[in-house]
Amino acid sequence: MNADTKPRFLSTDRRVREDKRFVAGSGRFVQDLDRPGMLHVALVAAQHPAAKIVKIDASEALAMEGVHYVIDGAELSAAVNPLMNGLDTPNVRRFPLAVGQNRYAGEWIAAVVADTRALAEDAAERVKVEVERLGFLTDAEKALDPESTPVHPEHGSNLLLDRTFDWGPVEDDFARSDETLKLRVTWGRNSTVPIETFGVICEWNPWDEVLDVWASIQMPKYADQIARALKLPGNAVRVHYDVDVGGSYGVKRGIKQTVLAGYLCRKLGRPVRLIEDRLENMRSGDAHGPERIFDIEVAFDRDGTVNAMKMRALDNAGAYAGRAPFQLGKPIGAIVGPYRINSVQYRAMSVTTNKAVQEAVRGFGQSPTNYAIETMMDRVAAHLGMDRLEFRQKNLIRSEEFPYLIPSGSTYDSGDYHAVIDKVLATADYAELQAERDRLRAEGLCAGIGIAACLEPSGGNSAFEPLLNEKNRTSTWMEGCRVNVDALGEVTVAIHTTSSGQGHETLAATVVGEVLQMDPDRIRVVRPDSLSSLPGNSPVGSRMAIMLGGAAANAARELIRQAVAIGAHLSRADPAACRYEDGTVVTPDGTVTWDEIVDVAHRRFHDLPPGTNPGLTANFIQQVPTGTALPKDGKVQMYPCYSFEFHLVLLAFDPVLAKPEIRRYVIGHDCGTVINPHIVKGMTLGGIAHGLGAALLEEFAYDGEGQLMTQSFLDYLMPSSHEMPEVEIVKHETPSPLTEFGQKGSGESGYLGAPAAISGAIHDAVSQWGIHLNKLPIRMSAISDAIAAAEENA
Amino acid sequence: MKMELSGTATVNATPQDLWDGLNDPAVLTKCIPGCKEMTATGPDEYDVKMQLKVAAVGGSFDGKVKLFDKDEPRTCRITVSGGGSLGTGEGTAQFTIAPAADGTSELSYEGEGEIGGLVAGVGQRVLKSVAKHLTKQFFTALRKHFAEENATA
């Protein structure tokens, strides 16, 4: 974008086009689809955390009218390939149904197919599973013990990953620093829990030999993985992207569900639908998020300069590997947060335990890491007796230092952290906020202010894959877009993914409208199926504004090049002397209209420039800016763009009841050029709500017997409108030099700093007792118990 | 999850009658809430089929019951183990019968068990009160049984 032209549609107050159908209740979700002759699946769940499957007796279930089939892991595993592992751990084999033994309570042991879901559920209750209990473990630190019961005996231990990276002169920096400090914080196992559980319909077309798939999916290379697991050619799986997805935030990966339904539909010759109920989703949809213990040692000088950090992150992956260990890799791209820290040692450890399988969650491990770093910053400031804010401001990277190379090999593109913080402090009236806190304290309440400064790496590539798995040679994570002008002159943009609330139709129309200088409302956006699509990697890693935005802009630019060539040829002018403006081509002698160009392109071959093919159409496949090389010496450029957010929160609670109530929430947010402000705002608010849940409420808690205690909304507490405060968003735009319009990602905004800020506010509120609550979520009971204990010991 | 249960109840039967009742599958089938069928598989061993509703979940439970350490008509121990769509359970309890006033008996029980599966995860908040409620139902049914016995006698 030319810096001196004001955008017409970008960053303007335009409606999100998807909202209309959602608000009207006219979305088209998997549940809304009906295929003729469709059968339904219910699952038989394991009762114990680990048990050998001795015998499965399905005779009673099969005798019920309307029940078509019962399948177990033995049959399925003989017919399909194991599901993909991220790491090189070939002996951690995973199938959609347990094979030989189950490895967590709730794991799917068998699937029942019947005429209706209700019937399938009733029949599932009659499937008798005879088991012999096996040893189990749920604790990550116990899993480190080589003598611990292995979840996968064939793998030899519970250790999936143990990698130590040394970036910079860590030991020297520790030796030269005035002081060091150690801390341990734990991020509890939570996740995103979309209202719509995962659902999929599979239908085998024997005449075309194609598997049609409709799924509520958010998964890179989904079709490829299904084809590989089902031993089908890649072009025999057709994923329909025109299905609405009722929320995902990372977890809708659906591979095991789809492989199961895909196998069943071929076996039975009927379409098969599997939609998880809430319990299946919560305990066995394999969609729990990171669960991580951080041990940190930090070296700093008495003047408040942080010099070096050693961080060990121990992650509890659950019963199978999947992509979970990679969530330890992504934060490497922002391992020092927004701070100048000269050297870092990072030890990433991932272990298997008898808990449900972990999946990608918003931020892919970044929010836990940000929480650890920000807690560290608070502790060091307290230790030095420095103001938390001044201490941060002292260590933040300054705007003139960008592009800024961090020790682990990523370069931050741009930012002005101090400016964002100043704006937030001004908006919130920081002095008045502190006075308000003190007034609340004088009333006898516990009141505290929390602050968090953090980054959102965006434009997702998958550089953590080759970094953590040397056999993986991935250095592109492209996204494609097609822009076509039909014979009547109208523009259609094709995007090649499902969306789960990110507003990609609005994004693509806005960007193409901006480039073509055409009202985005005139532009149609379609989603072809996967066999008609360009390569892409779906909306993960906060990437689509950058990647789909880039692909759409570049495809539109190519269209302009074609139009200008046609206009120039018609006017016998040099294309270099012509330009595109408002849908016309301006030549030295006048203008050629859009209709004329379309007419030439679609009907008048004789008027086309020599060597030009008919039609007006352009494909563009966008490579991720930067990050094109494989890792070297344990360093890599992770994501290209870095959004910044600064949270300032005031909360208060009664010291006995200890239920935190947020009194003020101000967030400063800089994601570069904003494409649609409503989408960015929605992401930020949703992210803060999600972060509030992670900080105070949400946890997949297992008891001592390996049973999940929080598998419904009765026990797994989600933030509601009662807990969610009004949020003031302070905007700032530092464009990225790497992207089409200066845009950065915002798909994880809010979530990446809210847990750290809220935890910080609680600590400020209980600072008089010097209490540390080192594990999220910080439940109200934990706060009141800690205060009571402190009072007793006082 | 682990669970403990204990209590006492007065039953309008002599210790011997109560003892006989508690060793009679027909009586137990009638009195145990949700019990559909109880089949003797050996001396003091039974297969039991139940259909129960706990909190938001309902379903089946098929188990094995074994009586041992019997000291007629004073005390015995009982183990229950099994599972079904509702979840799994295993536990051991001790029953003690003591004569009480007016030809009645006092039955005290003390047991502990482990509950797993669906009911543990979904019903855990209410499991203890449900267990108490079911126990109450059992004794109500047992008293009714003996009231009918006494009436016909």
Side-chain angles (χ1 to χ4, degrees), chain B residues 107-118:
Chain B
L107 177 73
S108 45
Y109 55 94
E110 197 171 347
E112 57 177 30
E114 193 192 318
I115 312 281
L118 186 62

Side-chain angles (χ1 to χ4, degrees), chain A residues 7 110 131 152 156 161 205 239 253 259 269 280 308 350 384 473 491 510 609 633 659 677 705 776 783-784:
Chain A
V131 300
H152 294 266
L161 172 73
N205 181 325
V239 179
R253 299 305 170 111
V259 170
E280 286 162 352
S350 177
L384 291 171
R473 310 289 287 166
V491 177
T510 307
D633 306 326
K659 185 174 188 221
E705 282 74 47
L776 299 188
I783 305 172
S784 67

Side-chain angles (χ1 to χ4, degrees), chain A residues 139-264:
Chain A
D139 184 84
E141 289 189 287
K142 283 203 184 120
L144 283 179
D145 181 351
E147 299 298 308
S148 62
T149 311
V151 178
H152 294 266
E154 312 78 20
H155 181 65
S157 81
N158 285 313
L159 198 60
L160 291 171
L161 172 73
D162 183 5
R163 249 320 263 285
T164 301
F165 298 92
D166 276 291
W167 298 302
V170 183
E171 296 306 336
D172 292 351
D173 284 341
F174 265 77
R176 73 176 167 88
S177 296
D178 292 341
E179 294 200 52
T180 63
L181 190 86
K182 285 185 183 177
L183 66 144
R184 163 176 279 212
V185 290
T186 300
W187 177 275
R189 177 174 274 245
N190 69 70
S191 191
T192 80
V193 187
I195 289 294
E196 182 207 39
T197 60
F198 182 78
V200 60
I201 297 171
C202 289
E203 179 172 339
W204 176 249
N205 181 325
W207 314 118
D208 294 343
E209 296 191 345
V210 163
L211 179 74
D212 281 296
V213 180
W214 296 263
S216 63
I217 192 76
Q218 181 199 9
M219 178 71 182
K221 301 185 163 67
Y222 173 65
D224 304 358
Q225 287 201 48
I226 301 309
R228 230 178 255 153
L230 290 173
K231 303 178 183 175
L232 290 170
N235 61 4
V237 174
R238 180 162 53 204
V239 179
H240 295 263
Y241 290 140
D242 57 348
V243 175
D244 286 318
V245 180
S248 170
Y249 324 103
V251 297
K252 291 261 179 78
R253 299 305 170 111
I255 300 294
K256 77 166 183 182
Q257 296 88 335
T258 309
V259 170
L260 174 60
Y263 173 80
L264 287 169

Side-chain angles (χ1 to χ4, degrees), chain B:
Chain B
M1 62 179 291
K2 300 267 188 216
M3 213 171 90
E4 284 175 5
L5 204 63
S6 62
T8 54
T10 308
V11 181
N12 49 341
T14 63
Q16 187 61 49
D17 286 348
L18 181 54
W19 177 269
D20 291 343
L22 291 176
N23 281 278
D24 180 351
V27 175
L28 290 175
T29 306
K30 197 161 76 177
C31 298
I32 295 172
C35 186
K36 297 288 168 218
E37 201 181 314
M38 202 162 168
T39 326
T41 54
D44 293 332
E45 287 188 17
Y46 305 94
D47 277 354
V48 58
K49 283 187 187 301
M50 294 174 73
Q51 198 74 31
L52 273 175
K53 195 159 162 52
V54 177
V57 290
S60 63
F61 182 91
D62 295 349
K64 291 190 184 304
V65 175
K66 195 175 169 195
L67 304 174
F68 61 104
D69 287 353
K70 285 168 87 163
D71 178 7
E72 184 175 353
R74 291 216 315 274
T75 179
C76 94
R77 288 165 69 80
I78 178 168
T79 61
V80 182
S81 71
S85 61
L86 205 51
T88 61
E90 42 199 79
T92 307
Q94 170 130 23
F95 290 93
T96 311
I97 299 171
D102 306 327
T104 64
S105 308
E106 189 175 77
L107 177 73
S108 45
Y109 55 94
E110 197 171 347
E112 57 177 30
E114 193 192 318
I115 312 281
L118 186 62
V119 74
V122 179
Q124 31 124 349
R125 283 165 179 277
V126 291
L127 209 51
K128 209 155 181 171
S129 51
V130 168
K132 276 188 187 156
H133 178 68
L134 293 177
T135 312
K136 204 174 143 193
Q137 273 187 16
F138 170 74
F139 284 114
T140 306
L142 198 63
R143 285 192 199 97
K144 194 176 158 213
H145 164 77
F146 283 113
E148 285 165 9
E149 289 280 297
N150 295 342
T152 49

Side-chain angles (χ1 to χ4, degrees), chain A residues 557-751:
Chain A
R557 292 227 169 82
E558 165 58 18
L559 266 189
I560 290 178
R561 192 201 59 74
Q562 293 173 17
V564 168
I566 291 170
H569 184 68
L570 282 179
S571 325
R572 302 187 200 296
D574 177 2
C578 304
R579 64 189 158 82
Y580 178 88
E581 194 179 301
D582 287 335
T584 67
V585 174
V586 181
T587 70
D589 305 323
T591 60
V592 183
T593 65
W594 179 256
D595 289 348
E596 180 76 355
I597 290 161
V598 171
D599 199 43
V600 170
H602 276 281
R603 297 181 192 86
R604 291 152 50 190
F605 188 78
H606 56 278
D607 282 332
L608 278 170
T612 304
N613 284 328
L616 260 183
T617 192
N619 294 336
F620 195 89
I621 301 172
Q622 175 82 38
Q623 164 66 339
V624 183
T626 76
T628 52
L630 287 173
K632 203 167 165 245
D633 306 326
K635 293 184 182 183
V636 69
Q637 173 72 44
M638 210 65 78
Y639 296 4
C641 303
Y642 290 81
S643 301
F644 176 71
E645 59 193 54
F646 180 72
H647 299 245
L648 184 61
V649 50
L650 170 68
L651 57 73
F653 51 85
D654 176 272
V656 177
L657 194 61
K659 185 174 188 221
E661 184 191 320
I662 295 174
R663 299 295 181 102
R664 188 92 191 266
Y665 205 116
V666 188
I667 177 173
H669 185 217
D670 181 358
C671 61
T673 306
V674 169
I675 291 173
N676 182 293
H678 296 290
I679 292 177
V680 172
K681 182 183 173 192
M683 287 287 187
T684 307
L685 293 179
I688 290 173
H690 189 187
L692 175 67
L696 300 176
L697 302 166
E698 299 179 44
E699 186 175 19
F700 288 113
Y702 286 78
D703 71 358
E705 282 74 47
Q707 297 289 338
L708 179 58
M709 292 291 103
T710 51
Q711 45 183 304
S712 75
F713 290 142
L714 204 65
D715 304 297
Y716 187 93
L717 303 179
M718 301 277 285
S720 71
S721 56
H722 293 288
E723 287 78 27
M724 184 63 188
E726 192 170 321
V727 174
E728 298 158 69
I729 302 176
V730 179
K731 292 176 202 157
H732 190 81
E733 291 194 7
T734 313
S736 172
L738 303 174
T739 60
E740 286 303 316
F741 309 102
Q743 76 273 32
K744 302 181 179 184
S746 72
E748 298 152 0
S749 60
Y751 181 61

